[in-house]
Amino acid sequence: MSFNKKIIILITCILLFTLTLLTVWHFQKSNSQEKLQENQNAIVTIEHDALHDIIFQINPKKLSEKKEILKIKHLPNWSINPSHIITNGLMFVTIPNDNHQIDNPKHNAEIAIIDLMAKHKITIGHDADLMIKPVFDRQNKNIIYRSSLDGKTRIISYNLEKSIKKIIYSINESSPIIPIFVKNDNLFVVYQDHQGSNLMYIDEGKLNQFAKLSSNFTRNWSISPNKEKLLYLEQDIKEDHVSNKIKLLDISSKISIQVNFNETANNELLAIGTSSFNDTHSISFFSPIWASKNSTISFGAAAAKMDSIYPVTTYDLNSKKIALTSKLENGIEMPIAYNSTNKYLLTKNFNIETFPEEKIYVLNTVTQARIGLEAEKYIIYAGWWEK
């Protein structure tokens, strides 16, 4: 064999060996990236006890993988109140821990940031309203919360990057305003009194009317991902009970409408329960939330009686199609939160036999499998940590 042929064979072998190594490396890298991607999401829960609440993280693919993040002490028989949002591993909470106000610590609670990765708490102040969840302005990195002290009502903003607090609204009286969301640097709030419910916005320290939501009280406000529609519940007061209607406000037109299901959808909703009803008005809706899409909502439904079976229902506002997430053996179910891909949905289930106890489930929207979260104590919060 000539010298040239030997060189060619040697080079060919080296190339083949190198190609094999690259293929194996690429495969291992892909697997590692895939495993890393699979582990990006975590469920965050808060379990309540009389003197403290404990924050946990849980692997949604293996619910037995549960790790304690932080234990937060609070006044006896109260609990912390977390915001719905977890951003960049940060959770925002109000904490009842003023020993001078053991009986009613609602107006001087601690406002704090929970760093889930570092497992520690950063205190912003001790002037927050315990029952009002903080709002997060993603664009400007501001935490916004309500403060009601000494007969005054303030809306306060805290900038995460500059660590600066700023009063963006103040009035020398108690005011029933609730921060909801931020759009175009304006904070939108709900103002409720005996005349009904209004959506207002704060601009340069002044409170301005934006749109009428209802002549009744409203609750469970949820802004769409693109911030073009506001979803909420309106109380419908009947002679024998109070039910809730799903309403939708178009931010551009400022027009509020009731979400009406077609006759087929209504009949399907009625057929879900074990009770019989005379009309669709006996159905009450609750806990409406947005899916990642701006046109799909999920909600819970129940009859005037609680001995019914109602799984979470989804509704496409464009196609007008209604669907059940999966079959439910017992109880009434409400949605809590989707993960970013909409593959998993956290739900809350309760029924007449165990009420007021509730159980949290992880629903796989693809396979329809539903698995309950096991906890030693009562779960007061469940949400997604997108790492």
Side-chain angles (χ1 to χ4, degrees), residues 186-216:
N186 289 324
L187 172 66
F188 284 79
V189 301
V190 170
Y191 183 95
Q192 302 198 106
D193 58 18
H194 65 281
Q195 295 181 341
S197 180
N198 294 278
L199 183 66
M200 310 186 79
Y201 68 97
I202 296 173
D203 182 30
E204 296 183 353
K206 295 182 179 179
L207 192 63
N208 305 278
Q209 175 71 18
F210 185 80
K212 181 78 173 181
L213 296 180
S214 172
S215 297
N216 298 316

PDB file of all heavy atoms in Angstrom, residues 186-216:
ATOM      1  N   ASN A 186     -49.817  53.837  32.958  1.00  0.00           N
ATOM      2  CA  ASN A 186     -50.936  54.228  33.808  1.00  0.00           C
ATOM      3  C   ASN A 186     -51.399  53.037  34.642  1.00  0.00           C
ATOM      4  O   ASN A 186     -51.574  51.932  34.111  1.00  0.00           O
ATOM      5  CB  ASN A 186     -52.105  54.748  32.971  1.00  0.00           C
ATOM      6  CG  ASN A 186     -51.824  56.110  32.356  1.00  0.00           C
ATOM      7  OD1 ASN A 186     -51.183  56.956  32.959  1.00  0.00           O
ATOM      8  ND2 ASN A 186     -52.305  56.313  31.139  1.00  0.00           N
ATOM      9  N   LEU A 187     -51.592  53.275  35.926  1.00  0.00           N
ATOM     10  CA  LEU A 187     -52.111  52.231  36.804  1.00  0.00           C
ATOM     11  C   LEU A 187     -53.627  52.255  36.754  1.00  0.00           C
ATOM     12  O   LEU A 187     -54.255  53.292  37.003  1.00  0.00           O
ATOM     13  CB  LEU A 187     -51.641  52.447  38.239  1.00  0.00           C
ATOM     14  CG  LEU A 187     -52.275  51.515  39.284  1.00  0.00           C
ATOM     15  CD1 LEU A 187     -51.840  50.077  39.053  1.00  0.00           C
ATOM     16  CD2 LEU A 187     -51.925  51.968  40.697  1.00  0.00           C
ATOM     17  N   PHE A 188     -54.219  51.106  36.443  1.00  0.00           N
ATOM     18  CA  PHE A 188     -55.680  50.981  36.421  1.00  0.00           C
ATOM     19  C   PHE A 188     -56.139  50.365  37.739  1.00  0.00           C
ATOM     20  O   PHE A 188     -55.562  49.389  38.219  1.00  0.00           O
ATOM     21  CB  PHE A 188     -56.129  50.136  35.240  1.00  0.00           C
ATOM     22  CG  PHE A 188     -56.069  50.855  33.924  1.00  0.00           C
ATOM     23  CD1 PHE A 188     -54.857  51.014  33.259  1.00  0.00           C
ATOM     24  CD2 PHE A 188     -57.211  51.398  33.358  1.00  0.00           C
ATOM     25  CE1 PHE A 188     -54.791  51.691  32.043  1.00  0.00           C
ATOM     26  CE2 PHE A 188     -57.160  52.074  32.149  1.00  0.00           C
ATOM     27  CZ  PHE A 188     -55.951  52.233  31.492  1.00  0.00           C
ATOM     28  N   VAL A 189     -57.189  50.949  38.290  1.00  0.00           N
ATOM     29  CA  VAL A 189     -57.725  50.492  39.573  1.00  0.00           C
ATOM     30  C   VAL A 189     -59.233  50.316  39.448  1.00  0.00           C
ATOM     31  O   VAL A 189     -59.878  50.906  38.578  1.00  0.00           O
ATOM     32  CB  VAL A 189     -57.416  51.500  40.703  1.00  0.00           C
ATOM     33  CG1 VAL A 189     -55.921  51.720  40.846  1.00  0.00           C
ATOM     34  CG2 VAL A 189     -58.141  52.821  40.469  1.00  0.00           C
ATOM     35  N   VAL A 190     -59.783  49.496  40.314  1.00  0.00           N
ATOM     36  CA  VAL A 190     -61.240  49.348  40.406  1.00  0.00           C
ATOM     37  C   VAL A 190     -61.711  50.116  41.629  1.00  0.00           C
ATOM     38  O   VAL A 190     -61.150  49.976  42.720  1.00  0.00           O
ATOM     39  CB  VAL A 190     -61.646  47.866  40.498  1.00  0.00           C
ATOM     40  CG1 VAL A 190     -63.122  47.738  40.850  1.00  0.00           C
ATOM     41  CG2 VAL A 190     -61.361  47.147  39.191  1.00  0.00           C
ATOM     42  N   TYR A 191     -62.727  50.947  41.420  1.00  0.00           N
ATOM     43  CA  TYR A 191     -63.319  51.737  42.498  1.00  0.00           C
ATOM     44  C   TYR A 191     -64.763  51.263  42.680  1.00  0.00           C
ATOM     45  O   TYR A 191     -65.558  51.295  41.744  1.00  0.00           O
ATOM     46  CB  TYR A 191     -63.295  53.221  42.145  1.00  0.00           C
ATOM     47  CG  TYR A 191     -63.828  54.136  43.222  1.00  0.00           C
ATOM     48  CD1 TYR A 191     -62.962  54.740  44.136  1.00  0.00           C
ATOM     49  CD2 TYR A 191     -65.190  54.391  43.336  1.00  0.00           C
ATOM     50  CE1 TYR A 191     -63.453  55.588  45.129  1.00  0.00           C
ATOM     51  CE2 TYR A 191     -65.689  55.225  44.327  1.00  0.00           C
ATOM     52  CZ  TYR A 191     -64.815  55.814  45.222  1.00  0.00           C
ATOM     53  OH  TYR A 191     -65.301  56.640  46.205  1.00  0.00           O
ATOM     54  N   GLN A 192     -65.090  50.809  43.896  1.00  0.00           N
ATOM     55  CA  GLN A 192     -66.424  50.267  44.154  1.00  0.00           C
ATOM     56  C   GLN A 192     -67.095  51.001  45.306  1.00  0.00           C
ATOM     57  O   GLN A 192     -66.483  51.238  46.346  1.00  0.00           O
ATOM     58  CB  GLN A 192     -66.351  48.767  44.452  1.00  0.00           C
ATOM     59  CG  GLN A 192     -65.713  47.954  43.326  1.00  0.00           C
ATOM     60  CD  GLN A 192     -66.023  46.473  43.419  1.00  0.00           C
ATOM     61  OE1 GLN A 192     -66.814  45.956  42.645  1.00  0.00           O
ATOM     62  NE2 GLN A 192     -65.398  45.781  44.343  1.00  0.00           N
ATOM     63  N   ASP A 193     -68.368  51.349  45.109  1.00  0.00           N
ATOM     64  CA  ASP A 193     -69.171  51.933  46.173  1.00  0.00           C
ATOM     65  C   ASP A 193     -70.620  51.517  45.967  1.00  0.00           C
ATOM     66  O   ASP A 193     -70.908  50.592  45.171  1.00  0.00           O
ATOM     67  CB  ASP A 193     -69.018  53.459  46.206  1.00  0.00           C
ATOM     68  CG  ASP A 193     -69.399  54.134  44.894  1.00  0.00           C
ATOM     69  OD1 ASP A 193     -70.101  53.496  44.080  1.00  0.00           O
ATOM     70  OD2 ASP A 193     -69.008  55.287  44.674  1.00  0.00           O
ATOM     71  N   HIS A 194     -71.553  52.168  46.648  1.00  0.00           N
ATOM     72  CA  HIS A 194     -72.959  51.768  46.576  1.00  0.00           C
ATOM     73  C   HIS A 194     -73.565  51.987  45.190  1.00  0.00           C
ATOM     74  O   HIS A 194     -74.629  51.448  44.868  1.00  0.00           O
ATOM     75  CB  HIS A 194     -73.779  52.533  47.616  1.00  0.00           C
ATOM     76  CG  HIS A 194     -73.838  54.010  47.379  1.00  0.00           C
ATOM     77  ND1 HIS A 194     -72.797  54.853  47.720  1.00  0.00           N
ATOM     78  CD2 HIS A 194     -74.802  54.794  46.815  1.00  0.00           C
ATOM     79  CE1 HIS A 194     -73.123  56.094  47.385  1.00  0.00           C
ATOM     80  NE2 HIS A 194     -74.331  56.082  46.840  1.00  0.00           N
ATOM     81  N   GLN A 195     -72.892  52.767  44.340  1.00  0.00           N
ATOM     82  CA  GLN A 195     -73.387  53.013  42.986  1.00  0.00           C
ATOM     83  C   GLN A 195     -72.852  52.009  41.964  1.00  0.00           C
ATOM     84  O   GLN A 195     -73.218  52.053  40.800  1.00  0.00           O
ATOM     85  CB  GLN A 195     -73.020  54.437  42.548  1.00  0.00           C
ATOM     86  CG  GLN A 195     -73.719  55.508  43.377  1.00  0.00           C
ATOM     87  CD  GLN A 195     -73.374  56.910  42.915  1.00  0.00           C
ATOM     88  OE1 GLN A 195     -72.381  57.123  42.219  1.00  0.00           O
ATOM     89  NE2 GLN A 195     -74.203  57.874  43.285  1.00  0.00           N
ATOM     90  N   GLY A 196     -71.971  51.119  42.413  1.00  0.00           N
ATOM     91  CA  GLY A 196     -71.473  50.104  41.504  1.00  0.00           C
ATOM     92  C   GLY A 196     -69.962  50.058  41.426  1.00  0.00           C
ATOM     93  O   GLY A 196     -69.261  50.466  42.362  1.00  0.00           O
ATOM     94  N   SER A 197     -69.478  49.581  40.298  1.00  0.00           N
ATOM     95  CA  SER A 197     -68.049  49.326  40.115  1.00  0.00           C
ATOM     96  C   SER A 197     -67.542  50.053  38.873  1.00  0.00           C
ATOM     97  O   SER A 197     -68.149  49.986  37.800  1.00  0.00           O
ATOM     98  CB  SER A 197     -67.829  47.820  39.977  1.00  0.00           C
ATOM     99  OG  SER A 197     -66.476  47.518  39.787  1.00  0.00           O
ATOM    100  N   ASN A 198     -66.422  50.759  39.022  1.00  0.00           N
ATOM    101  CA  ASN A 198     -65.843  51.522  37.926  1.00  0.00           C
ATOM    102  C   ASN A 198     -64.368  51.187  37.745  1.00  0.00           C
ATOM    103  O   ASN A 198     -63.656  50.959  38.734  1.00  0.00           O
ATOM    104  CB  ASN A 198     -65.962  53.026  38.190  1.00  0.00           C
ATOM    105  CG  ASN A 198     -67.395  53.503  38.184  1.00  0.00           C
ATOM    106  OD1 ASN A 198     -67.966  53.757  37.140  1.00  0.00           O
ATOM    107  ND2 ASN A 198     -67.984  53.616  39.375  1.00  0.00           N
ATOM    108  N   LEU A 199     -63.930  51.169  36.487  1.00  0.00           N
ATOM    109  CA  LEU A 199     -62.514  51.045  36.192  1.00  0.00           C
ATOM    110  C   LEU A 199     -61.967  52.462  36.021  1.00  0.00           C
ATOM    111  O   LEU A 199     -62.482  53.241  35.220  1.00  0.00           O
ATOM    112  CB  LEU A 199     -62.282  50.229  34.915  1.00  0.00           C
ATOM    113  CG  LEU A 199     -60.808  49.988  34.555  1.00  0.00           C
ATOM    114  CD1 LEU A 199     -60.132  49.103  35.600  1.00  0.00           C
ATOM    115  CD2 LEU A 199     -60.685  49.352  33.174  1.00  0.00           C
ATOM    116  N   MET A 200     -60.929  52.794  36.795  1.00  0.00           N
ATOM    117  CA  MET A 200     -60.339  54.124  36.758  1.00  0.00           C
ATOM    118  C   MET A 200     -58.830  53.995  36.573  1.00  0.00           C
ATOM    119  O   MET A 200     -58.271  52.901  36.691  1.00  0.00           O
ATOM    120  CB  MET A 200     -60.682  54.888  38.038  1.00  0.00           C
ATOM    121  CG  MET A 200     -62.167  54.851  38.378  1.00  0.00           C
ATOM    122  SD  MET A 200     -62.641  55.873  39.792  1.00  0.00           S
ATOM    123  CE  MET A 200     -62.675  57.494  39.033  1.00  0.00           C
ATOM    124  N   TYR A 201     -58.188  55.094  36.270  1.00  0.00           N
ATOM    125  CA  TYR A 201     -56.734  55.058  36.113  1.00  0.00           C
ATOM    126  C   TYR A 201     -56.105  56.260  36.806  1.00  0.00           C
ATOM    127  O   TYR A 201     -56.740  57.310  36.972  1.00  0.00           O
ATOM    128  CB  TYR A 201     -56.329  55.015  34.638  1.00  0.00           C
ATOM    129  CG  TYR A 201     -56.628  56.268  33.847  1.00  0.00           C
ATOM    130  CD1 TYR A 201     -55.643  57.242  33.641  1.00  0.00           C
ATOM    131  CD2 TYR A 201     -57.890  56.479  33.296  1.00  0.00           C
ATOM    132  CE1 TYR A 201     -55.922  58.388  32.915  1.00  0.00           C
ATOM    133  CE2 TYR A 201     -58.170  57.617  32.560  1.00  0.00           C
ATOM    134  CZ  TYR A 201     -57.178  58.570  32.377  1.00  0.00           C
ATOM    135  OH  TYR A 201     -57.459  59.706  31.657  1.00  0.00           O
ATOM    136  N   ILE A 202     -54.866  56.070  37.229  1.00  0.00           N
ATOM    137  CA  ILE A 202     -54.132  57.122  37.924  1.00  0.00           C
ATOM    138  C   ILE A 202     -53.113  57.723  36.980  1.00  0.00           C
ATOM    139  O   ILE A 202     -52.286  57.017  36.398  1.00  0.00           O
ATOM    140  CB  ILE A 202     -53.445  56.566  39.186  1.00  0.00           C
ATOM    141  CG1 ILE A 202     -54.501  56.076  40.188  1.00  0.00           C
ATOM    142  CG2 ILE A 202     -52.536  57.605  39.817  1.00  0.00           C
ATOM    143  CD1 ILE A 202     -53.914  55.358  41.383  1.00  0.00           C
ATOM    144  N   ASP A 203     -53.184  59.018  36.815  1.00  0.00           N
ATOM    145  CA  ASP A 203     -52.259  59.743  35.943  1.00  0.00           C
ATOM    146  C   ASP A 203     -51.831  61.022  36.647  1.00  0.00           C
ATOM    147  O   ASP A 203     -52.665  61.853  37.008  1.00  0.00           O
ATOM    148  CB  ASP A 203     -52.941  60.071  34.602  1.00  0.00           C
ATOM    149  CG  ASP A 203     -51.990  60.783  33.641  1.00  0.00           C
ATOM    150  OD1 ASP A 203     -50.776  60.535  33.714  1.00  0.00           O
ATOM    151  OD2 ASP A 203     -52.469  61.591  32.827  1.00  0.00           O
ATOM    152  N   GLU A 204     -50.508  61.149  36.876  1.00  0.00           N
ATOM    153  CA  GLU A 204     -49.931  62.318  37.550  1.00  0.00           C
ATOM    154  C   GLU A 204     -50.613  62.597  38.884  1.00  0.00           C
ATOM    155  O   GLU A 204     -50.929  63.735  39.227  1.00  0.00           O
ATOM    156  CB  GLU A 204     -49.998  63.552  36.642  1.00  0.00           C
ATOM    157  CG  GLU A 204     -49.165  63.401  35.370  1.00  0.00           C
ATOM    158  CD  GLU A 204     -49.187  64.652  34.514  1.00  0.00           C
ATOM    159  OE1 GLU A 204     -49.951  65.589  34.845  1.00  0.00           O
ATOM    160  OE2 GLU A 204     -48.442  64.705  33.512  1.00  0.00           O
ATOM    161  N   GLY A 205     -50.840  61.520  39.626  1.00  0.00           N
ATOM    162  CA  GLY A 205     -51.387  61.644  40.975  1.00  0.00           C
ATOM    163  C   GLY A 205     -52.874  61.859  41.062  1.00  0.00           C
ATOM    164  O   GLY A 205     -53.425  62.016  42.164  1.00  0.00           O
ATOM    165  N   LYS A 206     -53.574  61.860  39.925  1.00  0.00           N
ATOM    166  CA  LYS A 206     -55.012  62.074  39.917  1.00  0.00           C
ATOM    167  C   LYS A 206     -55.758  60.817  39.491  1.00  0.00           C
ATOM    168  O   LYS A 206     -55.297  60.064  38.636  1.00  0.00           O
ATOM    169  CB  LYS A 206     -55.368  63.231  38.986  1.00  0.00           C
ATOM    170  CG  LYS A 206     -54.819  64.580  39.440  1.00  0.00           C
ATOM    171  CD  LYS A 206     -55.244  65.695  38.499  1.00  0.00           C
ATOM    172  CE  LYS A 206     -54.713  67.055  38.965  1.00  0.00           C
ATOM    173  NZ  LYS A 206     -55.110  68.145  38.044  1.00  0.00           N
ATOM    174  N   LEU A 207     -56.938  60.626  40.089  1.00  0.00           N
ATOM    175  CA  LEU A 207     -57.783  59.478  39.776  1.00  0.00           C
ATOM    176  C   LEU A 207     -58.791  59.882  38.711  1.00  0.00           C
ATOM    177  O   LEU A 207     -59.539  60.849  38.878  1.00  0.00           O
ATOM    178  CB  LEU A 207     -58.498  59.007  41.037  1.00  0.00           C
ATOM    179  CG  LEU A 207     -59.218  57.650  40.989  1.00  0.00           C
ATOM    180  CD1 LEU A 207     -58.237  56.526  40.737  1.00  0.00           C
ATOM    181  CD2 LEU A 207     -59.970  57.414  42.303  1.00  0.00           C
ATOM    182  N   ASN A 208     -58.808  59.155  37.593  1.00  0.00           N
ATOM    183  CA  ASN A 208     -59.651  59.507  36.449  1.00  0.00           C
ATOM    184  C   ASN A 208     -60.582  58.364  36.078  1.00  0.00           C
ATOM    185  O   ASN A 208     -60.189  57.195  36.116  1.00  0.00           O
ATOM    186  CB  ASN A 208     -58.779  59.846  35.234  1.00  0.00           C
ATOM    187  CG  ASN A 208     -57.766  60.938  35.520  1.00  0.00           C
ATOM    188  OD1 ASN A 208     -58.088  62.111  35.477  1.00  0.00           O
ATOM    189  ND2 ASN A 208     -56.532  60.532  35.833  1.00  0.00           N
ATOM    190  N   GLN A 209     -61.816  58.698  35.705  1.00  0.00           N
ATOM    191  CA  GLN A 209     -62.781  57.705  35.257  1.00  0.00           C
ATOM    192  C   GLN A 209     -62.365  57.132  33.902  1.00  0.00           C
ATOM    193  O   GLN A 209     -61.961  57.864  33.002  1.00  0.00           O
ATOM    194  CB  GLN A 209     -64.169  58.327  35.140  1.00  0.00           C
ATOM    195  CG  GLN A 209     -65.243  57.429  34.558  1.00  0.00           C
ATOM    196  CD  GLN A 209     -65.664  56.306  35.504  1.00  0.00           C
ATOM    197  OE1 GLN A 209     -65.406  56.372  36.707  1.00  0.00           O
ATOM    198  NE2 GLN A 209     -66.319  55.292  34.972  1.00  0.00           N
ATOM    199  N   PHE A 210     -62.464  55.790  33.760  1.00  0.00           N
ATOM    200  CA  PHE A 210     -62.160  55.156  32.474  1.00  0.00           C
ATOM    201  C   PHE A 210     -63.389  54.482  31.886  1.00  0.00           C
ATOM    202  O   PHE A 210     -63.775  54.748  30.755  1.00  0.00           O
ATOM    203  CB  PHE A 210     -61.031  54.133  32.627  1.00  0.00           C
ATOM    204  CG  PHE A 210     -60.585  53.528  31.324  1.00  0.00           C
ATOM    205  CD1 PHE A 210     -59.720  54.201  30.485  1.00  0.00           C
ATOM    206  CD2 PHE A 210     -61.047  52.268  30.925  1.00  0.00           C
ATOM    207  CE1 PHE A 210     -59.321  53.661  29.268  1.00  0.00           C
ATOM    208  CE2 PHE A 210     -60.663  51.717  29.716  1.00  0.00           C
ATOM    209  CZ  PHE A 210     -59.792  52.413  28.881  1.00  0.00           C
ATOM    210  N   ALA A 211     -64.032  53.596  32.663  1.00  0.00           N
ATOM    211  CA  ALA A 211     -65.211  52.894  32.146  1.00  0.00           C
ATOM    212  C   ALA A 211     -66.048  52.365  33.301  1.00  0.00           C
ATOM    213  O   ALA A 211     -65.526  52.016  34.363  1.00  0.00           O
ATOM    214  CB  ALA A 211     -64.790  51.748  31.231  1.00  0.00           C
ATOM    215  N   LYS A 212     -67.352  52.308  33.064  1.00  0.00           N
ATOM    216  CA  LYS A 212     -68.272  51.713  34.027  1.00  0.00           C
ATOM    217  C   LYS A 212     -68.266  50.202  33.844  1.00  0.00           C
ATOM    218  O   LYS A 212     -68.500  49.692  32.745  1.00  0.00           O
ATOM    219  CB  LYS A 212     -69.684  52.257  33.799  1.00  0.00           C
ATOM    220  CG  LYS A 212     -70.732  51.738  34.764  1.00  0.00           C
ATOM    221  CD  LYS A 212     -70.645  52.440  36.096  1.00  0.00           C
ATOM    222  CE  LYS A 212     -71.808  52.060  37.018  1.00  0.00           C
ATOM    223  NZ  LYS A 212     -71.744  52.746  38.313  1.00  0.00           N
ATOM    224  N   LEU A 213     -67.995  49.472  34.923  1.00  0.00           N
ATOM    225  CA  LEU A 213     -67.991  48.011  34.847  1.00  0.00           C
ATOM    226  C   LEU A 213     -69.354  47.424  35.144  1.00  0.00           C
ATOM    227  O   LEU A 213     -69.805  46.507  34.481  1.00  0.00           O
ATOM    228  CB  LEU A 213     -66.957  47.429  35.812  1.00  0.00           C
ATOM    229  CG  LEU A 213     -65.483  47.755  35.542  1.00  0.00           C
ATOM    230  CD1 LEU A 213     -64.600  47.096  36.589  1.00  0.00           C
ATOM    231  CD2 LEU A 213     -65.082  47.324  34.144  1.00  0.00           C
ATOM    232  N   SER A 214     -70.026  47.971  36.152  1.00  0.00           N
ATOM    233  CA  SER A 214     -71.318  47.408  36.537  1.00  0.00           C
ATOM    234  C   SER A 214     -71.989  48.312  37.565  1.00  0.00           C
ATOM    235  O   SER A 214     -71.330  49.085  38.262  1.00  0.00           O
ATOM    236  CB  SER A 214     -71.128  46.009  37.131  1.00  0.00           C
ATOM    237  OG  SER A 214     -72.323  45.519  37.682  1.00  0.00           O
ATOM    238  N   SER A 215     -73.307  48.183  37.664  1.00  0.00           N
ATOM    239  CA  SER A 215     -74.046  48.859  38.728  1.00  0.00           C
ATOM    240  C   SER A 215     -74.004  48.046  40.008  1.00  0.00           C
ATOM    241  O   SER A 215     -74.477  48.497  41.057  1.00  0.00           O
ATOM    242  CB  SER A 215     -75.505  49.091  38.295  1.00  0.00           C
ATOM    243  OG  SER A 215     -75.566  49.948  37.172  1.00  0.00           O
ATOM    244  N   ASN A 216     -73.447  46.834  39.902  1.00  0.00           N
ATOM    245  CA  ASN A 216     -73.279  45.966  41.058  1.00  0.00           C
ATOM    246  C   ASN A 216     -71.796  45.857  41.393  1.00  0.00           C
ATOM    247  O   ASN A 216     -70.942  46.441  40.724  1.00  0.00           O
ATOM    248  CB  ASN A 216     -73.851  44.574  40.771  1.00  0.00           C
ATOM    249  CG  ASN A 216     -75.342  44.616  40.495  1.00  0.00           C
ATOM    250  OD1 ASN A 216     -76.092  45.287  41.190  1.00  0.00           O
ATOM    251  ND2 ASN A 216     -75.768  43.906  39.464  1.00  0.00           N
TER     252      ASN A 216
END
